[in-house]
Amino acid sequence: MTTVIPTATDVSLRELEAEAIEIIREVVAEFDRPALLFSGGKDSAVLLHLARKAVWPAPLPITLLHVDTGHNLPEVLDFRDQVVAEGGHRLVVAEVEKWLADGRLTERPDGTRNPLQTVPLLDTIAEQRFDALLGGARRDEDRARAKERIFSVRDAFGSWDPRKQRPELWRIYNGRHAPGEHTRVFPISNWTELDVWRYIAAENVALPSIYYAHERPVFQRDGMWLTPGPWGGPRGSETLQTLSVRYRTVGDGSCTGAVESSAGTIAEVIEEISVSTLTERGATRADDRLSEAAMEDRKREGYF
Amino acid sequence: MTITESTATDVASRDQLRLVIAGSVDDGKSTLVGRLLHDTKSILADQFEATLHASQGRGATEIDLALLTDGLRAEREQGITIDVAYRYFATPRRSFVLADTPGHVQYTRNTVTGASTADAAVVLVDVRGGVSAQTRRHAAVLSLLRVPHVVFAINKMDAVDWSEERFAQVADDVRDVAARVGLSTPEILPISALTGENVAAPGPDWYAGLSLLSVLEELPTRIADVDEPFRLPVQLVIRPRTTEHPDYRGLAGRVASGSLNVGDTVTAYPSGSSSVVVGIDGATGEQSRATVGDSVTVRLADELDVARGEVLATTVPIRTTQQLDAVLTWLDERPPTPRQRVLVKAGTKTTRAMLGVTQGVWNVDELCWQDSSAPLQLNDIGRVSVQLAEPVAVDDYADHRATGAFVVIDPDTGATLAAGLTGADLGALTTP
């Protein structure tokens, strides 16, 4: 097994990059108040990198939006704030804690906050009057996402109706929408997890440290390694162990697990996922295991 | 997604092919998609297990590969494919984006959607039934949309014991259909998606050609477009006015066809103003040349009054018009009304427009034009003239796929009503 760090001559990567830049430019040109969903995760870091390129040398005319469940790892929030400060970007944070405090949301019995993000997201889109939301979702993540259009119009409830999607023809994107509706746009739809990592390597995109192997106290739940935190645990028979781990996805701490890993560099990460027999979501996302169509159900409700 | 035994040269030169698979569900489309994903090791263990689990939950004893691709609740409940999905697989040579289109629901609309961005198409034909109405329809639509490479895969060869004679009969019929719709010398090969023979694995002894996957790896991508005249629809004028870049002014867009060099004279259409290219900024910095597919920002010697919606061209001028003689594929449940007011989006230009009366409808079963002035129904392909409020710069679709296409939009709901091809002549499709 030979692992290769791709160079700038990798044709398929450059093609994916050119496509993403084209899509981002369409958003900048056609919408009045676009926002970019930025969680500090690898997909949104790549998306932000592409957005800066799309308008270079002009400053980014797009607000960053983060829905903070209150259960994020501190390394990720530090990374988010550092990126915003260095880039001189405008960041809007919708804190789920505020919605819980004033009663607009109620904590779930299982303590997971990932499904609670939808209401703060939709409220903030309405308050800020965002008309387009760029997101780093990829079609290879999930069966329901494989059906997603690059430009996807959502009604005032943020609802996604797969039966009413617009056909997407040639590279002509139709983002026309009525007041109150908004358009979700996914410029890296056609990328795979490996493409994202190859691009991170080629462009040296900075990421939170938790994407690389590090020692961390973790406990096992439903076959995943979780970090103790405000979301609870370890409970009962769950015991803490210190392991060398890394995260393949970044999200709510209550449902995003780490994988055992010794991959400390980008090259080692690429080698690891090249031979992995698990998808990133299958390996580390409990929220997708709730039912056969968990992602579709959340998307219908307005989830990103 | 899994790459094994790659070498530095393989990955560095690996390119991307966009593929659409046509044919009815009964011809084995889902099985072929599942087979391609499986044999290129693009199905990972957890997806495989979830699919196996779902198959068993429905009482099946073996894995149902269709459940791997049919992702929506309603699709899995009803056992049908509702909408176009996109799949990804890769070999050491090439990565593939596969538009997985439903076989029997709203066929023309979905085939048009999948085919519009495809570099290549595979049309499945069930060897037992031979050429069907669906084969003729799909071949005609792929020809109409000028998908550069169309491959006919004669499937279920295992069901006829790999009969060379039966394959030859069906191949003759396919050649006849291909000729009638204007697809010249198509690749025709025998496969079994079920067993995998001649998909990624070798075929029978009597078949001397390449396997389907090898054929797809060998197809050229977009090379022809480099030789076409240069076209760049302007998306955005980039003017930072920052202290670092006080005077920067660039025209940003993606090269639709041809190539551009620093020093070339470009003209913007419809405005008609010209200037010399002094710089091209690409995704990795300044470059001396831009070719088809590149997203770039072009700097000019003069400050032209050029805005979004214009198209940059070099030696071969692009046509400027307020009247499109077009072929429309109607995509909406509601037929057009006489003199319906719509929006037309061609490249990066959106303008108000009015639809004319239908001047003929393409009969996808008989493969000929029929005189008709009746409004187009869902999935109909017809000739319609479109009057525009402002001039647009377009080429005939027959000459340039990228700058000859447009979409028709409902100004009230924003719905995409029709796929449009400029130029009323469908070229080879008009032969009886």
Side-chain angles (χ1 to χ4, degrees):
Chain A
M1 175 83 208
T2 326
T3 303
V4 181
I5 296 296
T7 63
T9 55
D10 188 325
V11 184
S12 68
L13 261 193
R14 287 301 160 204
E15 173 127 8
L16 289 170
E17 178 187 53
E19 179 185 56
I21 288 173
E22 178 183 33
I23 294 161
I24 294 163
R25 284 173 170 171
E26 285 299 289
V27 170
V28 170
E30 293 221 323
F31 292 87
D32 295 325
R33 293 178 68 87
L36 186 153
L37 287 161
F38 185 72
S39 64
K42 67 180 188 312
D43 299 315
S44 59
V46 163
L47 187 60
L48 179 60
H49 185 83
L50 290 162
R52 284 172 172 158
K53 280 195 176 195
V55 297
W56 184 92
L60 190 68
I62 299 174
T63 302
L64 307 189
L65 170 60
H66 183 215
V67 181
D68 184 354
T69 61
H71 284 174
N72 284 298
L73 295 173
E75 295 92 329
V76 178
L77 295 181
D78 290 347
F79 172 79
R80 177 197 75 187
D81 293 338
Q82 186 193 332
V83 167
V84 168
E86 283 173 7
H89 302 300
R90 173 172 180 253
L91 172 72
V92 172
V93 181
E95 290 178 57
V96 171
E97 304 271 4
K98 281 189 187 164
W99 272 257
L100 288 168
D102 65 17
R104 280 180 287 173
L105 280 178
T106 310
E107 196 92 68
R108 289 161 52 102
D110 63 5
T112 179
R113 286 193 180 164
N114 216 33
L116 299 184
Q117 293 182 69
T118 302
V119 170
L121 172 64
L122 295 177
D123 285 355
T124 308
I125 291 169
E127 275 163 28
Q128 298 279 333
R129 291 180 292 116
F130 291 134
D131 53 2
L133 258 80
L134 289 157
R138 309 188 321 267
R139 287 171 176 153
D140 83 321
E141 287 178 88
D142 180 271
R143 288 183 298 263
R145 288 224 159 127
K147 300 270 172 177
E148 179 69 90
R149 294 287 179 267
I150 290 174
F151 271 56
S152 179
V153 177
R154 304 297 172 94
D155 63 18
F157 302 98
S159 184
W160 181 67
D161 184 348
R163 284 179 190 271
K164 288 189 184 157
Q165 298 196 91
R166 292 173 182 168
E168 211 142 73
L169 298 150
W170 296 283
R171 298 188 328 231
I172 308 173
Y173 300 105
N174 174 6
R176 204 174 164 86
H177 61 276
E181 297 178 339
H182 67 276
T183 303
R184 305 263 172 108
V185 182
F186 306 107
I188 62 168
S189 283
N190 286 325
W191 300 41
T192 64
E193 183 189 16
L194 200 52
D195 292 328
V196 168
W197 275 104
R198 287 159 64 225
Y199 190 72
I200 288 165
E203 295 279 312
N204 213 7
V205 178
L207 292 185
S209 56
I210 64 167
Y211 276 107
Y212 304 101
H214 57 287
E215 299 257 310
R216 167 185 294 272
V218 286
F219 63 93
Q220 198 158 38
R221 181 181 295 169
D222 299 334
M224 292 189 312
W225 293 108
L226 296 184
T227 296
W231 46 87
R235 303 189 287 240
S237 60
E238 298 163 348
T239 50
L240 271 187
Q241 298 176 52
T242 298
L243 293 178
S244 174
V245 296
R246 68 174 199 87
Y247 281 80
R248 275 175 81 175
T249 68
V250 155
D252 188 76
S254 65
C255 63
T256 307
V259 291
E260 285 192 76
S261 171
S262 58
T265 64
I266 299 176
E268 286 164 359
V269 169
I270 288 175
E271 179 158 2
E272 189 178 276
I273 54 178
S274 295
V275 298
S276 171
T277 59
L278 292 178
T279 63
E280 60 185 297
R281 289 198 165 258
T284 62
R285 290 300 275 264
D287 46 333
D288 291 332
R289 298 182 182 176
L290 295 174
S291 81
E292 229 180 77
M295 173 72 87
E296 177 187 353
D297 293 345
R298 276 180 289 139
K299 280 163 64 71
R300 281 177 179 273
E301 288 165 14
Y303 181 80
F304 154 59
Chain B
M1 193 155 117
T2 309
I3 302 172
T4 47
E5 304 299 327
S6 302
T7 66
T9 337
D10 283 340
V11 175
S13 62
R14 194 171 73 175
D15 62 6
Q16 189 191 59
L17 188 88
R18 299 207 174 201
L19 181 67
V20 61
I21 299 199
S24 93
V25 170
D26 301 333
D27 294 340
K29 204 175 62 62
S30 296
T31 314
L32 179 62
V33 172
R35 172 60 60 190
L36 286 169
L37 296 176
H38 183 267
D39 288 4
T40 55
K41 298 177 179 63
S42 307
I43 302 173
L44 298 188
D46 57 317
Q47 291 171 320
F48 191 84
E49 261 169 43
T51 307
L52 185 62
H53 191 73
S55 310
Q56 287 164 346
R58 284 165 171 72
T61 48
E62 285 180 32
I63 187 162
D64 179 357
L65 285 174
L67 290 177
L68 187 74
T69 53
D70 288 346
L72 300 173
R73 212 172 250 291
E75 292 177 324
R76 296 159 80 86
E77 282 161 8
Q78 297 172 38
I80 55 159
T81 310
I82 288 174
D83 204 352
V84 182
Y86 295 86
R87 315 282 165 200
Y88 307 88
F89 64 96
T91 68
R93 287 274 311 277
R94 178 168 271 180
S95 64
F96 295 85
V97 178
L98 189 158
D100 181 12
T101 61
H104 58 275
V105 188
Q106 300 174 337
Y107 40 82
T108 309
R109 161 175 152 155
N110 288 306
T111 308
V112 167
T113 301
S116 71
T117 52
D119 301 309
V122 175
V123 182
L124 279 177
V125 181
D126 184 335
V127 69
R128 295 169 306 177
V131 166
S132 66
Q134 195 80 315
T135 314
R136 287 195 292 275
R137 281 189 200 111
H138 284 160
V141 169
L142 297 170
S143 174
L144 172 68
L145 284 165
R146 293 194 144 64
V147 175
H149 309 283
V150 179
V151 177
F152 290 87
I154 314 300
N155 191 24
K156 305 196 185 179
M157 286 299 295
D158 57 299
V160 295
D161 293 328
W162 286 89
S163 161
E164 186 177 2
E165 193 187 351
R166 179 65 191 146
F167 171 72
Q169 285 168 354
V170 176
D172 278 346
D173 293 345
V174 165
R175 244 173 248 116
D176 180 52
V177 168
R180 287 179 67 190
V181 301
L183 294 170
S184 57
T185 59
E187 193 94 44
I188 305 172
L189 69 168
I191 63 162
S192 168
L194 188 69
T195 65
E197 284 166 279
N198 212 34
V199 178
D205 293 339
W206 56 259
Y207 178 70
L210 295 171
S211 69
L212 177 61
L213 197 59
S214 302
V215 167
L216 296 176
E217 282 186 313
E218 297 283 335
L219 292 176
T221 58
R222 298 218 187 156
I223 288 167
D225 293 358
V226 179
D227 298 327
E228 288 184 9
F230 174 75
R231 300 286 186 254
L232 183 135
V234 175
Q235 291 186 276
L236 204 58
V237 181
I238 293 183
R239 228 179 152 180
R241 293 189 183 125
T242 54
T243 42
E244 275 169 274
H245 300 277
D247 302 319
Y248 189 97
R249 191 172 189 281
L251 305 175
R254 192 165 180 205
V255 181
S257 63
S259 61
L260 180 75
N261 293 296
V262 171
D264 286 352
T265 297
V266 295
T267 305
Y269 296 89
S271 72
S273 45
S274 298
S275 184
V276 173
V277 177
V278 293
I280 301 172
D281 295 316
T284 52
E286 201 165 349
Q287 55 197 70
S288 57
R289 178 181 160 89
T291 61
V292 57
D294 290 352
S295 273
V296 293
T297 306
V298 177
R299 284 178 279 120
L300 301 176
D302 309 286
E303 278 214 8
L304 302 187
D305 181 19
V306 172
R308 174 176 169 83
E310 304 219 22
V311 182
L312 301 185
T314 49
T315 46
V316 181
I318 186 166
R319 187 159 47 94
T320 291
T321 179
Q322 276 186 255
Q323 165 93 33
L324 300 175
D325 296 314
V327 172
L328 298 184
T329 302
W330 197 255
L331 307 171
D332 202 67
E333 312 275 341
R334 291 164 305 161
T337 55
R339 299 172 64 80
Q340 182 171 349
R341 287 172 190 279
V342 294
L343 296 170
V344 161
K345 187 172 185 188
T348 58
K349 174 87 175 180
T350 305
T351 174
R352 288 176 299 117
M354 194 163 62
L355 300 179
V357 292
T358 309
Q359 292 153 347
V361 174
W362 175 253
N363 183 323
V364 287
D365 294 313
E366 302 296 323
L367 305 182
C368 62
W369 285 103
Q370 285 179 333
D371 286 338
S372 169
S373 57
L376 297 177
Q377 305 295 316
L378 178 67
N379 290 314
D380 276 356
I381 297 170
R383 285 190 177 124
V384 179
S385 66
V386 185
Q387 187 69 39
L388 304 174
E390 294 168 76
V392 295
V394 289
D395 290 298
D396 276 359
Y397 190 81
D399 302 329
H400 296 286
R401 241 177 135 199
T403 40
F406 64 94
V407 297
V408 178
I409 298 169
D410 184 328
D412 299 325
T413 66
T416 301
L417 298 174
L421 313 178
T422 54
D425 180 13
L426 290 184
L429 247 197
T430 51
T431 44

